[in-house]
Amino acid sequence: MTDGITSRRGFLASSAALAGTALAGCSGGSASSDDTIQLGVLEDRSGNFALVGDPKHKASMLAIEEINNDGGIDGKQIETFDPDPQSDNQRYQELTRRAINQENVDALWAGYSSATREAIRPIIDREDQLYFYTTQYEGGVCDKNVFAVGPTARQQLGSVLPYLVEEYGPKIYTIAADYNFGQLSADWVKVLADENDAEVIGEEFIPLSNSQFGSTINRIQQAEPDFVMSMLVGANHTSFYEQKASAGLDVPIGTSTAMAQGYEHRRLDPPAMANIYAGVNYMEEIPTEHNTSEGGFVDRYFQKFPDAPYLNEEAENNYFSIYMYKMAVEQAGTTEQPEVREALESGITFGAPEAPGEEEIALDGATHHVDHHMWVMRADDQHNVEAVDDRVIPETFLSETVGCDLTQEDEETQYTPQDFYEEAG
């Protein structure tokens, strides 16, 4: 999930300029031997984020195994440095330093939360380390070393909110986790409401420690919104869905956080997730040939990991980004990181599981983000999930509003909607 932005106002520069001696690492070079490529995969398999992090690690291992079995990258086999960070940001920092300075990784995949990303990004930027961040997140990172390939809040909320306005009406009640991810996502709800002639009639921020939602449910019922936008996060907040069902709250709920990551529709008893609409780039249930056909992504994943409980959104992002890295190395003809970065910025496309038919998703070189095929997925009373809408949504905040172009100017900055939208204030 997403947290760890230090301020809601003003441009959020990375900590690359903080005092301290630069780490003595590979400095953007290549660690590969004559016959291997070294990738770092630091994903949580224990601790608070194990539920969502373990599928990311598994999907990475699947991609690497497939690539190695198919001859590797330019004939080189991939080796991995993949200790468990245990959902601990201090350990992430230690392992990131080790990955760069001792293991000499050619590229790094690391972290579920934005707090983790922001904890290691100063290290990444001091070392000019090629880094893939794959979680859906609040958006706004314009950093020459970071490829943030998960969908942004504007892409996720921008798929589900307009759909719900059209289907149910313009009155919105927002509930969100009371930290930076939830606050920024609520800002995006305001921006998107304004763009879709809708109105936020109520807004609540819920502490992460809170697991009792009776008063919130009462206020939602009294406000009589056409739908709720929920950006709740974590195990405690999961109880909202069970409690709203017990209270008879049957208003439609849009979300960027539920179902696709923590698979609540599989873990909770019906009808807790009834009438939930998730804006996602991937769920195990999306109906594409790449995903659900015989021998498709789902089949291959569960053949390798038969005891895995679910194939989540971030897992697909890890999977396709490793293939994009492979394509970039082969295009560059080297694992030297500046050349690989340049190849990635040239516009890599890939037939990811989220993409229907012959469609491919595209990596936007200027922003280091992906123009995702976004889906609106609805759960019914029995928690069966179906796609009710889908379309490609480019990442436009950085490209059009901010003007981020990393092919022309190096940056290490995170921007927020409050910097550019009056209605987000």
Side-chain angles (χ1 to χ4, degrees):
M1 285 303 309
T2 49
D3 53 358
I5 300 177
T6 56
S7 171
R8 297 186 67 220
R9 299 186 183 275
F11 295 162
L12 302 182
S14 96
S15 301
L18 289 176
T21 304
L23 300 173
C26 61
S27 299
S30 170
S32 298
S33 68
D34 290 340
D35 57 357
T36 63
I37 290 173
Q38 182 85 335
L39 301 185
V41 181
L42 305 180
E43 303 290 6
D44 302 308
R45 278 117 65 200
S46 63
N48 290 337
F49 295 128
L51 182 76
V52 288
D54 187 60
K56 298 179 71 179
H57 180 264
K58 284 182 166 62
S60 301
M61 296 305 107
L62 174 64
I64 289 166
E65 180 181 88
E66 289 178 351
I67 291 169
N68 280 343
N69 288 345
D70 196 38
I73 300 177
D74 260 350
K76 295 183 178 183
Q77 292 289 288
I78 301 170
E79 295 181 347
T80 58
F81 171 67
D82 66 335
D84 179 8
Q86 301 171 1
S87 306
D88 181 277
N89 285 346
Q90 183 175 347
R91 180 167 165 80
Y92 262 109
Q93 291 173 324
E94 294 167 355
L95 290 174
T96 297
R97 293 186 183 99
R98 179 178 166 190
I100 297 170
N101 297 317
Q102 298 178 36
E103 304 298 330
N104 297 320
V105 297
D106 293 297
L108 179 66
W109 283 254
Y112 174 71
S113 76
S114 283
T116 295
R117 184 195 67 240
E118 293 306 293
I120 68 173
R121 194 156 67 94
I123 303 168
I124 296 293
D125 286 334
R126 282 198 296 269
E127 290 292 353
D128 286 333
Q129 172 64 48
L130 179 58
Y131 168 49
F132 291 85
Y133 179 66
T134 63
T135 302
Q136 68 88 15
Y137 86 115
E138 69 279 357
V141 171
C142 177
D143 189 313
K144 68 181 188 297
N145 297 305
V146 180
F147 286 81
V149 298
T152 64
R154 197 184 223 299
Q155 289 172 297
Q156 291 201 293
L157 299 173
S159 64
V160 68
L161 187 148
Y163 176 86
L164 292 174
V165 169
E166 183 175 346
E167 290 292 317
Y168 295 106
K171 295 187 297 181
I172 306 169
Y173 198 105
T174 297
I175 55 174
D178 190 16
Y179 70 118
N180 289 317
F181 166 73
Q183 292 160 357
L184 285 168
S185 294
D187 286 346
W188 279 116
V189 170
K190 293 175 187 174
V191 171
L192 290 161
D194 183 70
E195 292 176 356
N196 288 273
D197 296 321
E199 178 187 7
V200 177
I201 63 171
E203 180 181 76
E204 291 189 37
F205 295 101
I206 314 297
L208 290 172
S209 59
N210 186 71
S211 61
Q212 298 301 316
F213 289 89
S215 58
T216 295
I217 291 168
N218 287 337
R219 285 189 288 271
I220 293 171
Q221 291 171 324
Q222 292 169 6
E224 297 184 345
D226 293 313
F227 63 94
V228 170
M229 287 303 299
S230 167
M231 285 74 68
L232 299 177
V233 173
N236 289 329
H237 286 185
T238 299
S239 61
F240 166 78
Y241 299 104
E242 297 169 306
Q243 291 171 33
K244 66 91 176 170
S246 297
L249 179 65
D250 58 0
V251 63
I253 297 176
T255 182
S256 63
T257 55
M259 297 203 301
Q261 300 176 69
Y263 52 96
E264 291 87 351
H265 60 299
R266 299 281 186 91
R267 296 190 293 115
L268 303 182
D269 291 333
M273 304 304 290
N275 224 18
I276 304 295
Y277 293 79
V280 301
N281 71 302
Y282 181 81
M283 288 179 66
E284 184 180 307
E285 295 88 352
I286 63 166
T288 70
E289 184 176 351
H290 291 303
N291 191 50
T292 58
S293 65
E294 184 176 352
F297 183 45
V298 173
D299 274 2
R300 298 196 307 276
Y301 183 83
F302 287 104
Q303 285 170 7
K304 183 171 177 59
F305 304 106
D307 297 326
Y310 192 73
L311 180 48
N312 72 356
E313 183 174 35
E314 285 81 10
E316 191 239 12
N317 299 333
N318 279 58
Y319 179 85
F320 77 68
S321 57
I322 289 174
Y323 270 95
M324 284 185 167
Y325 173 77
K326 172 185 185 293
M327 296 168 70
V329 170
E330 291 178 343
Q331 178 178 316
T334 178
T335 53
E336 293 289 334
Q337 293 184 34
E339 285 83 350
V340 174
R341 188 178 296 114
E342 185 176 345
L344 288 165
E345 290 174 347
S346 72
I348 299 288
T349 63
F350 182 68
E354 70 190 61
E358 298 302 312
E359 182 183 304
E360 296 184 329
I361 61 171
L363 177 61
D364 178 58
T367 64
H368 293 188
H369 285 63
V370 171
D371 294 341
H372 279 287
H373 195 104
M374 301 300 299
W375 298 80
V376 179
M377 304 293 287
R378 175 184 180 270
D380 66 16
D381 290 348
Q382 297 303 311
H383 290 189
N384 300 307
V385 175
E386 66 171 341
V388 296
D389 193 31
D390 67 287
R391 58 196 169 99
V392 174
I393 299 183
E395 201 301 301
T396 57
F397 174 54
L398 284 173
S399 60
E400 297 179 9
T401 305
V402 174
C404 169
D405 187 349
L406 294 163
T407 67
Q408 299 298 317
E409 181 180 358
D410 288 344
E411 292 195 49
E412 297 171 0
T413 305
Q414 182 167 19
Y415 299 93
T416 77
Q418 289 200 359
D419 298 321
F420 296 91
Y421 295 98
E422 193 173 305
E423 55 270 28

PDB file of all heavy atoms in Angstrom, residues 353-378:
ATOM      1  N   PRO A 353      -0.656  -9.864 -18.560  1.00  0.00           N
ATOM      2  CA  PRO A 353      -1.920 -10.555 -18.297  1.00  0.00           C
ATOM      3  C   PRO A 353      -3.130  -9.641 -18.205  1.00  0.00           C
ATOM      4  O   PRO A 353      -4.250 -10.057 -18.505  1.00  0.00           O
ATOM      5  CB  PRO A 353      -1.651 -11.252 -16.952  1.00  0.00           C
ATOM      6  CG  PRO A 353      -0.185 -11.527 -16.964  1.00  0.00           C
ATOM      7  CD  PRO A 353       0.412 -10.334 -17.643  1.00  0.00           C
ATOM      8  N   GLU A 354      -2.939  -8.381 -17.807  1.00  0.00           N
ATOM      9  CA  GLU A 354      -4.073  -7.460 -17.684  1.00  0.00           C
ATOM     10  C   GLU A 354      -4.641  -7.036 -19.022  1.00  0.00           C
ATOM     11  O   GLU A 354      -5.773  -6.540 -19.104  1.00  0.00           O
ATOM     12  CB  GLU A 354      -3.656  -6.209 -16.916  1.00  0.00           C
ATOM     13  CG  GLU A 354      -2.703  -5.301 -17.681  1.00  0.00           C
ATOM     14  CD  GLU A 354      -2.112  -4.186 -16.826  1.00  0.00           C
ATOM     15  OE1 GLU A 354      -1.422  -4.503 -15.833  1.00  0.00           O
ATOM     16  OE2 GLU A 354      -2.349  -3.009 -17.144  1.00  0.00           O
ATOM     17  N   ALA A 355      -3.870  -7.198 -20.109  1.00  0.00           N
ATOM     18  CA  ALA A 355      -4.242  -6.652 -21.407  1.00  0.00           C
ATOM     19  C   ALA A 355      -5.066  -7.653 -22.212  1.00  0.00           C
ATOM     20  O   ALA A 355      -4.650  -8.801 -22.394  1.00  0.00           O
ATOM     21  CB  ALA A 355      -2.989  -6.266 -22.190  1.00  0.00           C
ATOM     22  N   PRO A 356      -6.239  -7.254 -22.712  1.00  0.00           N
ATOM     23  CA  PRO A 356      -7.064  -8.182 -23.496  1.00  0.00           C
ATOM     24  C   PRO A 356      -6.554  -8.355 -24.923  1.00  0.00           C
ATOM     25  O   PRO A 356      -5.913  -7.461 -25.487  1.00  0.00           O
ATOM     26  CB  PRO A 356      -8.436  -7.504 -23.491  1.00  0.00           C
ATOM     27  CG  PRO A 356      -8.133  -6.048 -23.350  1.00  0.00           C
ATOM     28  CD  PRO A 356      -6.893  -5.956 -22.506  1.00  0.00           C
ATOM     29  N   GLY A 357      -6.849  -9.521 -25.494  1.00  0.00           N
ATOM     30  CA  GLY A 357      -6.530  -9.767 -26.896  1.00  0.00           C
ATOM     31  C   GLY A 357      -5.061  -9.589 -27.204  1.00  0.00           C
ATOM     32  O   GLY A 357      -4.187 -10.069 -26.479  1.00  0.00           O
ATOM     33  N   GLU A 358      -4.795  -8.870 -28.291  1.00  0.00           N
ATOM     34  CA  GLU A 358      -3.421  -8.623 -28.723  1.00  0.00           C
ATOM     35  C   GLU A 358      -2.865  -7.323 -28.158  1.00  0.00           C
ATOM     36  O   GLU A 358      -1.754  -6.923 -28.505  1.00  0.00           O
ATOM     37  CB  GLU A 358      -3.354  -8.589 -30.253  1.00  0.00           C
ATOM     38  CG  GLU A 358      -3.763  -9.885 -30.927  1.00  0.00           C
ATOM     39  CD  GLU A 358      -2.914 -11.055 -30.461  1.00  0.00           C
ATOM     40  OE1 GLU A 358      -1.668 -10.913 -30.437  1.00  0.00           O
ATOM     41  OE2 GLU A 358      -3.485 -12.109 -30.132  1.00  0.00           O
ATOM     42  N   GLU A 359      -3.625  -6.680 -27.306  1.00  0.00           N
ATOM     43  CA  GLU A 359      -3.191  -5.396 -26.733  1.00  0.00           C
ATOM     44  C   GLU A 359      -1.950  -5.581 -25.860  1.00  0.00           C
ATOM     45  O   GLU A 359      -1.765  -6.615 -25.222  1.00  0.00           O
ATOM     46  CB  GLU A 359      -4.335  -4.810 -25.895  1.00  0.00           C
ATOM     47  CG  GLU A 359      -4.039  -3.457 -25.272  1.00  0.00           C
ATOM     48  CD  GLU A 359      -5.195  -2.985 -24.412  1.00  0.00           C
ATOM     49  OE1 GLU A 359      -6.328  -2.892 -24.937  1.00  0.00           O
ATOM     50  OE2 GLU A 359      -4.969  -2.718 -23.222  1.00  0.00           O
ATOM     51  N   GLU A 360      -1.113  -4.559 -25.840  1.00  0.00           N
ATOM     52  CA  GLU A 360       0.048  -4.540 -24.962  1.00  0.00           C
ATOM     53  C   GLU A 360       0.001  -3.289 -24.096  1.00  0.00           C
ATOM     54  O   GLU A 360      -0.533  -2.259 -24.505  1.00  0.00           O
ATOM     55  CB  GLU A 360       1.343  -4.563 -25.769  1.00  0.00           C
ATOM     56  CG  GLU A 360       1.543  -5.832 -26.579  1.00  0.00           C
ATOM     57  CD  GLU A 360       2.887  -5.873 -27.286  1.00  0.00           C
ATOM     58  OE1 GLU A 360       3.401  -4.781 -27.652  1.00  0.00           O
ATOM     59  OE2 GLU A 360       3.429  -6.974 -27.451  1.00  0.00           O
ATOM     60  N   ILE A 361       0.521  -3.398 -22.878  1.00  0.00           N
ATOM     61  CA  ILE A 361       0.655  -2.207 -22.041  1.00  0.00           C
ATOM     62  C   ILE A 361       1.972  -1.527 -22.391  1.00  0.00           C
ATOM     63  O   ILE A 361       2.923  -2.168 -22.838  1.00  0.00           O
ATOM     64  CB  ILE A 361       0.581  -2.543 -20.545  1.00  0.00           C
ATOM     65  CG1 ILE A 361       1.701  -3.498 -20.124  1.00  0.00           C
ATOM     66  CG2 ILE A 361      -0.782  -3.112 -20.190  1.00  0.00           C
ATOM     67  CD1 ILE A 361       1.798  -3.700 -18.619  1.00  0.00           C
ATOM     68  N   ALA A 362       2.028  -0.217 -22.163  1.00  0.00           N
ATOM     69  CA  ALA A 362       3.187   0.572 -22.591  1.00  0.00           C
ATOM     70  C   ALA A 362       3.815   1.285 -21.410  1.00  0.00           C
ATOM     71  O   ALA A 362       3.125   1.891 -20.590  1.00  0.00           O
ATOM     72  CB  ALA A 362       2.770   1.589 -23.649  1.00  0.00           C
ATOM     73  N   LEU A 363       5.125   1.216 -21.337  1.00  0.00           N
ATOM     74  CA  LEU A 363       5.890   1.982 -20.361  1.00  0.00           C
ATOM     75  C   LEU A 363       6.177   3.356 -20.948  1.00  0.00           C
ATOM     76  O   LEU A 363       6.777   3.482 -22.019  1.00  0.00           O
ATOM     77  CB  LEU A 363       7.197   1.259 -20.043  1.00  0.00           C
ATOM     78  CG  LEU A 363       8.177   1.935 -19.081  1.00  0.00           C
ATOM     79  CD1 LEU A 363       7.543   2.136 -17.714  1.00  0.00           C
ATOM     80  CD2 LEU A 363       9.459   1.120 -18.959  1.00  0.00           C
ATOM     81  N   ASP A 364       5.712   4.399 -20.265  1.00  0.00           N
ATOM     82  CA  ASP A 364       5.944   5.762 -20.723  1.00  0.00           C
ATOM     83  C   ASP A 364       7.340   6.207 -20.307  1.00  0.00           C
ATOM     84  O   ASP A 364       7.629   6.353 -19.113  1.00  0.00           O
ATOM     85  CB  ASP A 364       4.886   6.696 -20.126  1.00  0.00           C
ATOM     86  CG  ASP A 364       5.113   8.140 -20.524  1.00  0.00           C
ATOM     87  OD1 ASP A 364       5.133   8.415 -21.737  1.00  0.00           O
ATOM     88  OD2 ASP A 364       5.303   8.986 -19.627  1.00  0.00           O
ATOM     89  N   GLY A 365       8.194   6.412 -21.275  1.00  0.00           N
ATOM     90  CA  GLY A 365       9.590   6.712 -20.981  1.00  0.00           C
ATOM     91  C   GLY A 365       9.794   8.016 -20.250  1.00  0.00           C
ATOM     92  O   GLY A 365      10.703   8.145 -19.426  1.00  0.00           O
ATOM     93  N   ALA A 366       8.955   8.999 -20.528  1.00  0.00           N
ATOM     94  CA  ALA A 366       9.144  10.314 -19.925  1.00  0.00           C
ATOM     95  C   ALA A 366       8.892  10.296 -18.426  1.00  0.00           C
ATOM     96  O   ALA A 366       9.607  10.961 -17.663  1.00  0.00           O
ATOM     97  CB  ALA A 366       8.227  11.329 -20.602  1.00  0.00           C
ATOM     98  N   THR A 367       7.892   9.530 -17.976  1.00  0.00           N
ATOM     99  CA  THR A 367       7.509   9.544 -16.564  1.00  0.00           C
ATOM    100  C   THR A 367       7.929   8.301 -15.800  1.00  0.00           C
ATOM    101  O   THR A 367       7.817   8.264 -14.575  1.00  0.00           O
ATOM    102  CB  THR A 367       5.981   9.685 -16.425  1.00  0.00           C
ATOM    103  OG1 THR A 367       5.353   8.523 -16.987  1.00  0.00           O
ATOM    104  CG2 THR A 367       5.481  10.938 -17.133  1.00  0.00           C
ATOM    105  N   HIS A 368       8.369   7.250 -16.495  1.00  0.00           N
ATOM    106  CA  HIS A 368       8.718   5.963 -15.876  1.00  0.00           C
ATOM    107  C   HIS A 368       7.495   5.288 -15.255  1.00  0.00           C
ATOM    108  O   HIS A 368       7.627   4.512 -14.310  1.00  0.00           O
ATOM    109  CB  HIS A 368       9.819   6.119 -14.821  1.00  0.00           C
ATOM    110  CG  HIS A 368      11.146   6.514 -15.371  1.00  0.00           C
ATOM    111  ND1 HIS A 368      12.300   6.551 -14.598  1.00  0.00           N
ATOM    112  CD2 HIS A 368      11.535   6.905 -16.611  1.00  0.00           C
ATOM    113  CE1 HIS A 368      13.323   6.936 -15.335  1.00  0.00           C
ATOM    114  NE2 HIS A 368      12.880   7.166 -16.567  1.00  0.00           N
ATOM    115  N   HIS A 369       6.304   5.584 -15.768  1.00  0.00           N
ATOM    116  CA  HIS A 369       5.067   4.945 -15.332  1.00  0.00           C
ATOM    117  C   HIS A 369       4.457   4.169 -16.505  1.00  0.00           C
ATOM    118  O   HIS A 369       4.938   4.259 -17.635  1.00  0.00           O
ATOM    119  CB  HIS A 369       4.085   5.983 -14.799  1.00  0.00           C
ATOM    120  CG  HIS A 369       4.431   6.504 -13.432  1.00  0.00           C
ATOM    121  ND1 HIS A 369       5.591   7.214 -13.176  1.00  0.00           N
ATOM    122  CD2 HIS A 369       3.777   6.419 -12.242  1.00  0.00           C
ATOM    123  CE1 HIS A 369       5.630   7.541 -11.886  1.00  0.00           C
ATOM    124  NE2 HIS A 369       4.540   7.069 -11.298  1.00  0.00           N
ATOM    125  N   VAL A 370       3.398   3.430 -16.226  1.00  0.00           N
ATOM    126  CA  VAL A 370       2.796   2.562 -17.229  1.00  0.00           C
ATOM    127  C   VAL A 370       1.392   3.044 -17.565  1.00  0.00           C
ATOM    128  O   VAL A 370       0.608   3.413 -16.679  1.00  0.00           O
ATOM    129  CB  VAL A 370       2.740   1.099 -16.725  1.00  0.00           C
ATOM    130  CG1 VAL A 370       1.916   0.216 -17.654  1.00  0.00           C
ATOM    131  CG2 VAL A 370       4.164   0.533 -16.610  1.00  0.00           C
ATOM    132  N   ASP A 371       1.079   3.053 -18.853  1.00  0.00           N
ATOM    133  CA  ASP A 371      -0.291   3.285 -19.306  1.00  0.00           C
ATOM    134  C   ASP A 371      -1.034   1.959 -19.193  1.00  0.00           C
ATOM    135  O   ASP A 371      -0.948   1.097 -20.060  1.00  0.00           O
ATOM    136  CB  ASP A 371      -0.299   3.799 -20.742  1.00  0.00           C
ATOM    137  CG  ASP A 371       0.333   5.180 -20.878  1.00  0.00           C
ATOM    138  OD1 ASP A 371       0.442   5.880 -19.852  1.00  0.00           O
ATOM    139  OD2 ASP A 371       0.728   5.539 -21.997  1.00  0.00           O
ATOM    140  N   HIS A 372      -1.759   1.791 -18.092  1.00  0.00           N
ATOM    141  CA  HIS A 372      -2.361   0.498 -17.764  1.00  0.00           C
ATOM    142  C   HIS A 372      -3.718   0.305 -18.435  1.00  0.00           C
ATOM    143  O   HIS A 372      -4.457   1.258 -18.690  1.00  0.00           O
ATOM    144  CB  HIS A 372      -2.560   0.379 -16.249  1.00  0.00           C
ATOM    145  CG  HIS A 372      -1.326  -0.005 -15.503  1.00  0.00           C
ATOM    146  ND1 HIS A 372      -0.807  -1.285 -15.540  1.00  0.00           N
ATOM    147  CD2 HIS A 372      -0.501   0.717 -14.704  1.00  0.00           C
ATOM    148  CE1 HIS A 372       0.276  -1.332 -14.782  1.00  0.00           C
ATOM    149  NE2 HIS A 372       0.483  -0.136 -14.270  1.00  0.00           N
ATOM    150  N   HIS A 373      -4.044  -0.988 -18.656  1.00  0.00           N
ATOM    151  CA  HIS A 373      -5.415  -1.348 -18.971  1.00  0.00           C
ATOM    152  C   HIS A 373      -6.136  -1.537 -17.640  1.00  0.00           C
ATOM    153  O   HIS A 373      -5.843  -2.461 -16.891  1.00  0.00           O
ATOM    154  CB  HIS A 373      -5.490  -2.633 -19.795  1.00  0.00           C
ATOM    155  CG  HIS A 373      -6.836  -2.832 -20.421  1.00  0.00           C
ATOM    156  ND1 HIS A 373      -7.075  -2.610 -21.760  1.00  0.00           N
ATOM    157  CD2 HIS A 373      -8.041  -3.183 -19.886  1.00  0.00           C
ATOM    158  CE1 HIS A 373      -8.346  -2.830 -22.027  1.00  0.00           C
ATOM    159  NE2 HIS A 373      -8.954  -3.178 -20.893  1.00  0.00           N
ATOM    160  N   MET A 374      -7.061  -0.618 -17.356  1.00  0.00           N
ATOM    161  CA  MET A 374      -7.732  -0.591 -16.059  1.00  0.00           C
ATOM    162  C   MET A 374      -9.093  -1.277 -16.140  1.00  0.00           C
ATOM    163  O   MET A 374      -9.789  -1.181 -17.150  1.00  0.00           O
ATOM    164  CB  MET A 374      -7.894   0.841 -15.562  1.00  0.00           C
ATOM    165  CG  MET A 374      -6.587   1.599 -15.405  1.00  0.00           C
ATOM    166  SD  MET A 374      -5.436   0.828 -14.223  1.00  0.00           S
ATOM    167  CE  MET A 374      -6.403   0.877 -12.709  1.00  0.00           C
ATOM    168  N   TRP A 375      -9.452  -1.941 -15.054  1.00  0.00           N
ATOM    169  CA  TRP A 375     -10.694  -2.701 -14.966  1.00  0.00           C
ATOM    170  C   TRP A 375     -11.504  -2.231 -13.765  1.00  0.00           C
ATOM    171  O   TRP A 375     -10.935  -1.907 -12.719  1.00  0.00           O
ATOM    172  CB  TRP A 375     -10.399  -4.191 -14.792  1.00  0.00           C
ATOM    173  CG  TRP A 375      -9.651  -4.800 -15.938  1.00  0.00           C
ATOM    174  CD1 TRP A 375      -8.300  -4.725 -16.186  1.00  0.00           C
ATOM    175  CD2 TRP A 375     -10.193  -5.566 -17.012  1.00  0.00           C
ATOM    176  NE1 TRP A 375      -7.976  -5.389 -17.328  1.00  0.00           N
ATOM    177  CE2 TRP A 375      -9.131  -5.922 -17.866  1.00  0.00           C
ATOM    178  CE3 TRP A 375     -11.494  -5.985 -17.319  1.00  0.00           C
ATOM    179  CZ2 TRP A 375      -9.318  -6.692 -19.019  1.00  0.00           C
ATOM    180  CZ3 TRP A 375     -11.690  -6.748 -18.461  1.00  0.00           C
ATOM    181  CH2 TRP A 375     -10.604  -7.090 -19.302  1.00  0.00           C
ATOM    182  N   VAL A 376     -12.823  -2.196 -13.928  1.00  0.00           N
ATOM    183  CA  VAL A 376     -13.726  -2.041 -12.791  1.00  0.00           C
ATOM    184  C   VAL A 376     -14.321  -3.421 -12.517  1.00  0.00           C
ATOM    185  O   VAL A 376     -15.029  -3.977 -13.361  1.00  0.00           O
ATOM    186  CB  VAL A 376     -14.844  -1.021 -13.062  1.00  0.00           C
ATOM    187  CG1 VAL A 376     -15.780  -0.919 -11.847  1.00  0.00           C
ATOM    188  CG2 VAL A 376     -14.251   0.347 -13.396  1.00  0.00           C
ATOM    189  N   MET A 377     -13.998  -3.955 -11.347  1.00  0.00           N
ATOM    190  CA  MET A 377     -14.409  -5.311 -10.973  1.00  0.00           C
ATOM    191  C   MET A 377     -15.427  -5.230  -9.835  1.00  0.00           C
ATOM    192  O   MET A 377     -15.171  -4.592  -8.815  1.00  0.00           O
ATOM    193  CB  MET A 377     -13.194  -6.135 -10.546  1.00  0.00           C
ATOM    194  CG  MET A 377     -12.078  -6.199 -11.583  1.00  0.00           C
ATOM    195  SD  MET A 377     -12.531  -7.108 -13.081  1.00  0.00           S
ATOM    196  CE  MET A 377     -12.535  -8.801 -12.475  1.00  0.00           C
ATOM    197  N   ARG A 378     -16.570  -5.900 -10.010  1.00  0.00           N
ATOM    198  CA  ARG A 378     -17.654  -5.834  -9.027  1.00  0.00           C
ATOM    199  C   ARG A 378     -17.843  -7.202  -8.369  1.00  0.00           C
ATOM    200  O   ARG A 378     -17.859  -8.240  -9.037  1.00  0.00           O
ATOM    201  CB  ARG A 378     -18.963  -5.422  -9.691  1.00  0.00           C
ATOM    202  CG  ARG A 378     -20.178  -5.444  -8.751  1.00  0.00           C
ATOM    203  CD  ARG A 378     -21.461  -5.124  -9.484  1.00  0.00           C
ATOM    204  NE  ARG A 378     -22.598  -5.160  -8.567  1.00  0.00           N
ATOM    205  CZ  ARG A 378     -23.324  -6.252  -8.323  1.00  0.00           C
ATOM    206  NH1 ARG A 378     -23.029  -7.402  -8.924  1.00  0.00           N
ATOM    207  NH2 ARG A 378     -24.347  -6.196  -7.478  1.00  0.00           N
TER     208      ARG A 378
END
